[in-house]
Amino acid sequence: MIKSVLFTIGVAVLSQARAQTISHAYLDFNNVSARVNDGGVFFNDHANTFPSYEVPKGSGLHAIFAMAFWYGGTDVNGQLKLSAQKYDNLTDQFKGPLTNDGIANPPDSGTWLSALFPVTKPEIDNHIANYASAGYTVPSNIANWPAHGDVSLNQDFYLAPFVDTDGDGIYDPTAGDYPCIRGDKAIYVIMNDKGDLHASGGDPIGLEMHYMFYEYVGIPEIENTTFVHLRMINRGTQTLNDFKVSTFLDADLGFYGDDYFGSDESRNMMFFYNGDNLDEDNGGSQGYQTAPPAIGLVSLANDFESIGITDAGSNAPEFWSNMNARNAGGALWEDPVTMTSINFMFPSDPGNVSQPNSEVTLANAPGDRKGIANINLGTLVPFSEHTFDYAVIYNREAGGDNIQNASGLKNVADAVQDFFDTTFVDDCLLQTAALEELEEVNFSIHPNPSSGTFVITLDEQFMDAEVHISDLSGRVVMENKKLSSTETMIELGQPAGVYLVHLSVDGRTSVQRIVLK
């Protein structure tokens, strides 16, 4: 039996919005095969209403039915602005970038017929080695990388990150430029929330979302892990308060009807596990059978404000309630033991019987569980950018059972967090984005060119500001340095060349070039 995900309200609202043509690609370089779509819902076969996060790869076993990101906040008048969907019968997010003034270009046209851009590290390495060789043809994955927007449509000139080998600011793979990715294979997706009416009923915000899904191969502790990097750009003109970025996860472990849910505040993790030690087949769903695994989502760089089970149907007020630790009806989430309000549902370790608040110790009936994990950004100002990093993790231990696999997930989370924190990861975010000054952060560098000593002048007062500098390959040559005044002298003892000065001021970021001679 295929899982039913249709909702009457959602279908009714969808009639007002134009359905998209959804494209997909597979991220399958390690032990996971994850289907990435450009309709705003990931790890899901939307056409067949079927799960599409297969682990182990090639097994026919799926651990996730769908994942999506929800965004919302209130304007100065308290009106809700929201972009959220659970399945592809809802349409709140659309392919392609916005204009710099927050207007959507027509979707399903030109470059953005598909908004998926996969590329692998071996493809990039081969390109680096051979781009200047006679007879070499640039692969389409590299040639079609969405490095630049269409300036004639007022899109941002810099979109997807790339390594600019000749320092001219223009993506030209025939000159040796190449995509900047994380991991050994990545899929880049560019979306927005203003392409059409929102089927949720929420008012559009003016967001442009850049997702990079990536995997590493050959590293045992992360062989079952999928990473997600999100860059969120507010191209809207309104300031929004109490802004939330939430992750919806419908993690069906094989058969969807026998799962449990848990949260771990200290690890910024929500997780799912089987309610008993046998995960049966069920119609079209193949079960994991004995000793079924556990699956989780970890926020690697931002704290979750709340994690719980979502009961929202398909309308904006219900989504917003779940994003604020409330049920669909608006009541605060409640601890079943103390009957007091909580922000983290079922926070106890399922394997520790002395801890009272897990679905195991409460003897809940297993069922279909859907989770929501919420990050509170506070105030979202126009033209600001924010980044987020996540990992989807998996645990199935030799000789373990469903409870041991759930408890062991915390060790996997720790290993993945340690990898993220200590391993050099190419942070492509700012290499080629916004190399000209952004209007909300005005700063100058002089002299430029410089012999290595120069002054950064910031044309505004600030609460918090810091600068770091990288070369054009992304290597950080000066770590974060706090600014204490509007003029700061920098001494950069590096070889002659072009470097990028990244200035962050009160949550906003600008980048400029400095030339050392």
Side-chain angles (χ1 to χ4, degrees):
M1 180 175 65
I2 295 177
K3 179 175 178 177
S4 173
V5 296
L6 299 179
F7 297 93
T8 302
I9 297 175
V11 174
V13 177
L14 183 61
S15 65
Q16 303 172 31
R18 185 172 58 81
Q20 299 185 87
T21 301
I22 307 300
S23 304
H24 70 272
Y26 284 94
L27 188 62
D28 54 3
F29 237 44
N30 58 16
N31 199 37
V32 177
S33 177
R35 179 177 173 130
V36 178
N37 301 324
D38 58 7
V41 177
F42 308 107
F43 308 154
N44 178 261
D45 180 350
H46 64 282
N48 298 300
T49 320
F50 205 75
S52 199
Y53 189 90
E54 183 188 41
V55 54
K57 180 176 63 179
S59 66
L61 297 165
H62 295 85
I64 295 176
F65 185 81
M67 183 178 80
F69 292 90
W70 301 356
Y71 307 89
T74 56
D75 66 15
V76 66
N77 298 314
Q79 297 299 307
L80 176 62
K81 309 293 181 180
L82 182 129
S83 173
Q85 57 194 63
K86 295 196 297 185
Y87 306 107
D88 286 313
N89 64 305
L90 292 179
T91 309
D92 275 30
Q93 295 168 19
F94 309 89
K95 292 182 284 188
L98 295 175
T99 64
N100 283 317
D101 50 2
I103 298 173
N105 299 126
D108 289 350
S109 62
T111 304
W112 306 106
L113 187 61
S114 171
L116 299 170
F117 301 89
V119 68
T120 69
K121 186 69 161 50
E123 286 178 309
I124 292 172
D125 290 342
N126 182 64
H127 175 73
I128 293 170
N130 296 297
Y131 77 91
S133 302
Y136 174 76
T137 300
V138 178
S140 60
N141 286 354
I142 294 176
N144 297 328
W145 187 249
H148 300 302
D150 187 340
V151 294
S152 70
L153 298 175
N154 196 27
Q155 295 172 357
D156 196 347
F157 183 63
Y158 292 104
L159 294 178
F162 65 94
V163 175
D164 187 10
T165 57
D166 57 6
D168 65 356
I170 299 173
Y171 182 66
D172 181 4
T174 64
D177 297 347
Y178 55 90
C180 185
I181 67 168
R182 296 180 176 189
D184 294 307
K185 181 175 182 178
I187 300 176
Y188 204 82
V189 190
I190 300 178
M191 303 195 69
N192 72 81
D193 86 315
K194 293 197 74 174
D196 208 333
L197 295 174
H198 284 192
S200 69
D203 288 337
I205 301 166
L207 297 181
E208 184 174 300
M209 299 87 75
H210 293 222
Y211 302 99
M212 185 183 292
F213 293 82
Y214 61 102
E215 293 176 348
Y216 292 88
V217 66
I219 305 175
E221 61 267 31
I222 56 171
E223 187 70 10
N224 297 307
T225 300
T226 300
F227 293 91
V228 186
H229 176 72
L230 165 61
R231 175 185 169 213
M232 185 193 76
I233 307 163
N234 180 20
R235 300 202 189 278
T237 59
Q238 297 186 72
T239 295
L240 298 182
N241 301 309
D242 197 27
F243 193 85
K244 301 295 198 307
V245 176
S246 303
T247 310
F248 164 79
L249 190 63
D250 186 354
D252 297 344
L253 290 154
F255 171 44
Y256 65 85
D258 60 354
D259 293 341
Y260 275 159
F261 176 87
S263 67
D264 188 329
E265 180 180 3
S266 66
R267 292 179 171 83
N268 287 299
M269 176 173 70
M270 68 171 164
F271 62 95
F272 302 77
Y273 56 106
N274 222 65
D276 57 39
N277 202 38
L278 177 65
D279 183 49
E280 305 91 344
D281 295 340
N282 185 60
S285 299
Q286 184 177 343
Y288 278 92
Q289 305 304 318
T290 56
I295 193 108
L297 176 86
V298 179
S299 175
L300 299 167
N302 302 83
D303 289 336
F304 284 132
E305 178 186 61
S306 57
I307 299 173
I309 293 174
T310 170
D311 61 347
S314 55
N315 63 74
E318 292 186 1
F319 285 131
W320 186 238
S321 285
N322 283 175
M323 295 167 74
N324 287 276
R326 296 174 180 269
N327 65 27
L332 292 168
W333 289 344
E334 191 173 80
D335 186 313
V337 177
T338 65
M339 307 304 290
T340 58
S341 63
I342 55 169
N343 284 336
F344 294 86
M345 285 189 181
F346 307 114
S348 297
D349 183 342
N352 189 338
V353 295
S354 67
Q355 295 182 4
N357 202 338
S358 73
E359 293 215 72
V360 174
T361 52
L362 291 166
N364 289 346
D368 188 8
R369 301 290 192 263
K370 305 174 185 70
I372 185 73
N374 306 306
I375 294 171
N376 188 348
L377 282 184
T379 302
L380 181 72
V381 299
F383 312 114
S384 60
E385 297 187 16
H386 302 269
T387 60
F388 309 85
D389 286 281
Y390 305 89
V392 180
I393 62 175
Y394 169 94
N395 186 50
R396 194 178 197 184
E397 302 173 6
D401 59 21
N402 61 312
I403 304 302
Q404 291 167 325
N405 290 335
S407 293
L409 202 61
K410 61 180 179 289
N411 297 324
V412 179
D414 290 344
V416 170
Q417 184 73 64
D418 183 66
F419 174 84
F420 180 82
D421 290 341
T422 61
T423 303
F424 176 75
V425 178
D426 287 333
D427 189 351
C428 308
L429 174 64
L430 295 175
Q431 282 205 42
T432 50
L435 294 183
E436 298 178 356
E437 292 182 21
L438 299 179
E439 290 183 1
E440 75 278 14
V441 181
N442 294 314
F443 76 99
S444 59
I445 300 172
H446 58 89
N448 190 6
S450 164
S451 60
T453 299
F454 54 93
V455 174
I456 296 174
T457 301
L458 182 61
D459 297 333
E460 66 179 89
Q461 299 299 316
F462 56 87
M463 296 291 292
D464 181 73
E466 63 182 23
V467 64
H468 79 273
I469 302 175
S470 66
D471 64 17
L472 292 178
S473 71
R475 180 177 64 93
V476 175
V477 298
M478 192 187 80
E479 296 287 351
N480 291 345
K481 175 183 176 65
K482 292 285 187 181
L483 275 62
S484 58
S485 67
T486 55
E487 287 198 350
T488 302
M489 180 175 290
I490 302 293
E491 294 185 359
L492 189 63
Q494 294 292 323
V498 180
Y499 296 83
L500 300 182
V501 178
H502 310 257
L503 182 64
S504 297
V505 179
D506 296 333
R508 299 163 294 150
T509 301
S510 271
V511 185
Q512 290 192 41
R513 296 178 186 271
I514 177 69
V515 178
L516 298 192
K517 60 185 180 179

